[in-house]
Amino acid sequence: MEAHRGRERRGRAQNILGRMYQSGEGVSRSYPQAVKCFREAAELGDENGQYNLGRLYQRGKEVKRDCREAEKWFRKAAQQGHDKAQYILGVLCEKGMGIQRDLKEAEKWKLKAAEQGEARAQNHFGVRYAKGAGVPMDYTVAYMWLRLAARQGNRLAQKNIDILTEKMTPEQISNAEQMVLEWKPKT
């Protein structure tokens, strides 16, 4: 048990150190050192390290771009409940980047992210419910998802709310606002 906690702490520490090297905060900026730290954190099972390593491979700036490697690390982080990794994994599944295109799996990961509070995923579901795209059209549910995303500063969600409210009754808006107040993220 103690060895497991030590491994977790080392993973978290390596991820923090990786971010410091990446940003140059408190240390000299060094992308190779950042990559090394993120890799160690990821291999120790740190979900943030896995996510950060996935981002490096996705962007291809600090390391050679590799969609399969990015997907591998995003999936590991997503399986541990990392909401941003879940959303990005959903996007990768949707677009078939580094993996076989799978729209059902894409929606599964995006929903997990939205339910945890990831704003881009919430905006995604707001739009889907507003259009009835793959789900029943429901302006109240659409508004709830969009409002949750907008509360986090997602500007696209706010624009979508402005468009949606023109189609809604005051009662629908009131019901949706109540849903927003009662909403709790799933962990």
Side-chain angles (χ1 to χ4, degrees), residues 15-184:
N15 180 63
I16 292 167
L17 190 56
R19 289 181 48 191
M20 290 171 69
Y21 278 119
Q22 190 176 40
S23 68
E25 182 182 327
V27 296
S28 296
R29 178 176 277 163
S30 171
Y31 293 125
Q33 279 300 117
V35 172
K36 181 180 173 188
C37 291
F38 287 144
R39 179 169 306 286
E40 186 171 341
E43 289 172 354
L44 286 166
D46 182 76
E47 69 184 58
N48 291 310
Q50 293 165 343
Y51 170 77
N52 287 325
L53 190 57
R55 291 289 291 168
L56 295 181
Y57 280 109
Q58 181 187 37
R59 288 192 315 243
K61 290 183 181 176
E62 294 87 352
V63 296
K64 185 178 179 198
R65 186 171 188 203
D66 185 334
C67 290
R68 289 195 179 159
E69 195 69 11
E71 181 271 334
K72 170 185 153 182
W73 293 110
F74 285 137
R75 184 172 300 278
K76 287 179 180 284
Q79 289 170 337
Q80 291 192 70
H82 194 285
D83 63 338
K84 289 176 179 39
Q86 290 169 338
Y87 175 73
I88 292 174
L89 182 58
V91 171
L92 295 179
C93 291
E94 178 183 18
K95 295 182 178 186
M97 296 173 68
I99 51 176
Q100 181 74 30
R101 188 170 189 238
D102 186 336
L103 298 179
K104 187 175 180 181
E105 185 174 3
E107 290 305 296
K108 173 188 91 167
W109 287 114
K110 287 181 182 181
L111 181 59
K112 285 179 179 286
E115 289 174 338
Q116 287 189 86
E118 209 288 329
R120 294 169 298 175
Q122 291 173 332
N123 180 68
H124 169 79
F125 280 99
V127 170
R128 291 206 47 169
Y129 277 97
K131 293 180 176 179
V135 294
M137 184 182 289
D138 187 328
Y139 290 162
T140 304
V141 173
Y143 183 100
M144 177 202 70
W145 283 121
L146 293 171
R147 176 61 71 206
L148 290 168
R151 286 191 336 188
Q152 296 180 69
N154 187 298
R155 288 187 220 141
L156 185 54
Q158 186 56 58
K159 288 179 185 176
N160 289 329
I161 288 171
D162 294 342
I163 295 165
L164 182 62
T165 54
E166 293 177 9
K167 302 174 185 177
M168 295 177 70
T169 66
E171 182 181 5
Q172 286 175 314
I173 293 171
S174 176
N175 289 341
E177 286 290 352
Q178 186 61 40
M179 290 169 67
V180 169
L181 292 173
E182 293 171 0
W183 186 83
K184 301 246 185 301

